[in-house]
Amino acid sequence: MFFKKENIILSVMFFSFFSIHDFWFINPTYYFILILLCMTWIKVSTETKFNEFSVALFLMASIFFISQIFALYLTYNSVILGNVLNVKTFIIFVISILYGCVINEFYDKNVINRQRIYGVLSKFIIIFFLIELLLRIYNGNLDNTWLYAFKASQLYFDSNFASLVLLSFFMLYLFLYNKKVYRDKYILIILFVFILFTFSRAAIATSIISYIIFFNHKTYRKKAIFSFVLYMVTFITLCVMYVIFKDSFIGFDGSFNSKFYIVKAAIGVFERESIGNVIFGIGLGNFEDITGIFAHNIFVTFIVETGIVGTLTFLIFIIYTCIKTKLNSLYILLPMVICGLSLFGSYSPYIFSILAIIVMETNAHE
């Protein structure tokens, strides 16, 4: 029967990464996600006791929804954006947040069932991303350099977005392996090989760094915190060098240099914004319409597009999950931040569904 918890959770995890980007005008997976969210709402509405983590996700989604309405109103009426209005991006981000509630509400307490779910899920991931890779190879453009010849993806916007999903599931299965919930080293190897074939240097480097940090579950906490502090100090230093001292990294790598050009463009947007836009942001997805370049950077996405309200809300949520999971949530959050210097997408149900699994597995272990 489909409505067994096991089947629902498996469907949720499948649709958290399933994507057909080049499908008419809208990704069909949005419809399936909305159906799963409606099922969750029906289940929750019939219960008298609410799950704490679901409440946290719902509150965050509500704050983002309301604050983004204000952001779009302010931006629409400003001279910055004129009549262009991006509504879709913030809606799919709110849906991504709520997607974690589905995992939370239909979580199966039977460890044997969960192990079976993780096993079947790993096979779905392998089949899907093998198809994604073969399509990229088939439609490759050999006129480009080897690094960019096979970047165009029919299932995602490009292979960089595929690498974010693969990196996230790589960290999920590393967490499950370390917690002795689902110990399959071969899925880790296969996922890493898929990451290599996305040719995303940021994802490849992040997966190697993350494995070094997290391969020993007993010692990862100190290494993770130290790595995060070192990363932030390095990033801020490079931003200062680029913006204030006018240093350029174009000679080192053009793609790397572009990430700091985006930071500089973000500062320019801030200089033109009203106080209202500083508080609520310019609206998710509007950075490209203003500056002519996609935000890419996770810090620019949150600080500029969601403003002070959105940034603080997300930071509070991160702190909450770190406390609730005894820092186990860093398995997904730290790689997301490190790789986020290069790319971050607002459509990210896989992040919140994986976070929900980490929360649930931590609770079950405790």
Side-chain angles (χ1 to χ4, degrees):
M1 184 177 180
F2 174 78
F3 293 103
K4 288 171 58 179
K5 286 185 177 181
E6 184 177 337
N7 293 333
I8 293 176
I9 292 296
L10 192 57
S11 299
V12 170
M13 294 308 299
F14 176 74
F15 287 114
S16 72
F17 66 81
F18 178 79
S19 174
I20 306 178
H21 176 72
D22 294 335
F23 187 86
W24 295 341
F25 65 94
I26 191 167
N27 196 324
T29 192
Y30 297 161
Y31 298 116
F32 294 107
I33 287 177
L34 286 174
I35 292 171
L36 289 166
L37 285 174
C38 288
M39 289 172 57
T40 306
W41 176 255
I42 293 171
K43 180 180 182 298
V44 171
S45 63
T46 59
E47 295 176 347
T48 56
K49 185 179 180 180
F50 298 105
N51 188 291
E52 180 187 320
F53 188 65
S54 292
V55 172
L57 288 169
F58 180 77
L59 286 175
M60 182 170 70
S62 300
I63 292 172
F64 267 103
F65 184 85
I66 295 170
S67 65
Q68 285 290 287
I69 294 294
F70 280 108
L72 291 176
Y73 174 78
L74 292 167
T75 305
Y76 180 75
N77 288 283
S78 71
V79 295
I80 297 176
L81 203 55
N83 293 324
V84 179
L85 194 63
N86 188 325
V87 178
K88 174 184 172 182
T89 304
F90 97 84
I91 291 177
I92 63 176
F93 183 65
V94 170
I95 290 174
S96 296
I97 296 171
L98 290 173
Y99 204 58
C101 296
V102 189
I103 294 287
N104 206 41
E105 294 300 326
F106 290 99
Y107 178 75
D108 198 325
K109 294 182 180 180
N110 188 313
V111 67
I112 303 299
N113 290 341
R114 299 204 306 276
Q115 289 173 342
R116 187 161 48 245
I117 290 170
Y118 300 139
V120 175
L121 176 64
S122 66
K123 294 177 177 62
F124 283 171
I125 292 172
I126 291 171
I127 294 171
F128 179 81
F129 282 99
L130 180 60
I131 294 171
E132 195 275 338
L133 174 60
L134 293 175
L135 285 173
R136 278 194 288 114
I137 293 173
Y138 178 77
N139 294 285
N141 184 0
L142 296 178
D143 293 333
N144 294 326
T145 61
W146 68 270
L147 195 61
Y148 296 97
F150 305 105
K151 297 285 281 186
S153 175
Q154 279 66 53
L155 302 183
Y156 290 93
F157 187 79
D158 59 34
S159 67
N160 290 327
F161 285 93
S163 72
L164 287 180
V165 181
L166 286 165
L167 174 62
S168 299
F169 280 99
F170 176 81
M171 295 309 298
L172 170 63
Y173 278 97
L174 180 59
F175 167 76
L176 295 173
Y177 186 91
N178 286 341
K179 296 291 284 185
K180 300 180 181 179
V181 176
Y182 183 77
R183 295 177 68 83
D184 184 356
K185 62 183 178 182
Y186 296 108
I187 183 62
L188 292 172
I189 296 171
I190 294 170
L191 287 174
F192 181 68
V193 171
F194 278 135
I195 292 172
L196 289 177
F197 281 109
T198 62
F199 302 104
S200 171
R201 289 167 292 177
I204 294 169
T206 302
S207 61
I208 295 172
I209 293 170
S210 298
Y211 183 79
I212 293 171
I213 293 171
F214 291 98
F215 81 96
N216 188 333
H217 187 72
K218 294 180 180 179
T219 62
Y220 82 87
R221 290 175 175 84
K222 290 182 180 179
K223 290 187 291 184
I225 293 172
F226 173 78
S227 300
F228 175 73
V229 172
L230 179 63
Y231 169 79
M232 291 304 300
V233 169
T234 303
F235 172 67
I236 293 171
T237 301
L238 293 174
C239 287
V240 171
M241 290 171 60
Y242 188 91
V243 175
I244 297 178
F245 297 107
K246 312 296 182 184
D247 287 347
S248 175
F249 309 115
I250 191 79
F252 172 71
D253 183 82
S255 178
F256 182 76
N257 186 75
S258 69
K259 306 305 182 286
F260 296 95
Y261 170 79
I262 291 170
V263 173
K264 186 176 180 180
I267 294 173
V269 173
F270 260 130
E271 292 173 347
R272 300 191 300 270
E273 283 180 350
S274 66
I275 186 64
N277 284 124
V278 172
I279 295 172
F280 298 107
I282 60 175
L284 280 166
N286 285 324
F287 187 83
E288 183 178 12
D289 294 316
I290 295 173
T291 64
I293 186 171
F294 183 67
H296 282 286
N297 191 310
I298 188 173
F299 303 107
V300 171
T301 298
F302 276 100
I303 295 172
V304 179
E305 294 190 340
T306 71
I308 295 174
V309 173
T311 303
L312 286 179
T313 300
F314 194 64
L315 284 175
I316 292 170
F317 176 74
I318 287 176
I319 294 170
Y320 163 75
T321 57
C322 286
I323 294 172
K324 189 171 180 63
T325 63
K326 296 179 172 58
L327 296 183
N328 285 334
S329 60
L330 292 179
Y331 270 87
I332 181 68
L333 293 174
L334 183 61
M336 181 184 70
V337 171
I338 294 175
C339 199
L341 173 61
S342 177
L343 181 64
F344 178 77
S346 57
Y347 180 65
S348 49
Y350 53 92
I351 291 177
F352 293 99
S353 57
I354 290 173
L355 256 180
I357 287 179
I358 292 174
V359 170
M360 297 299 102
E361 289 294 349
T362 301
N363 290 342
H365 182 77
E366 294 299 325

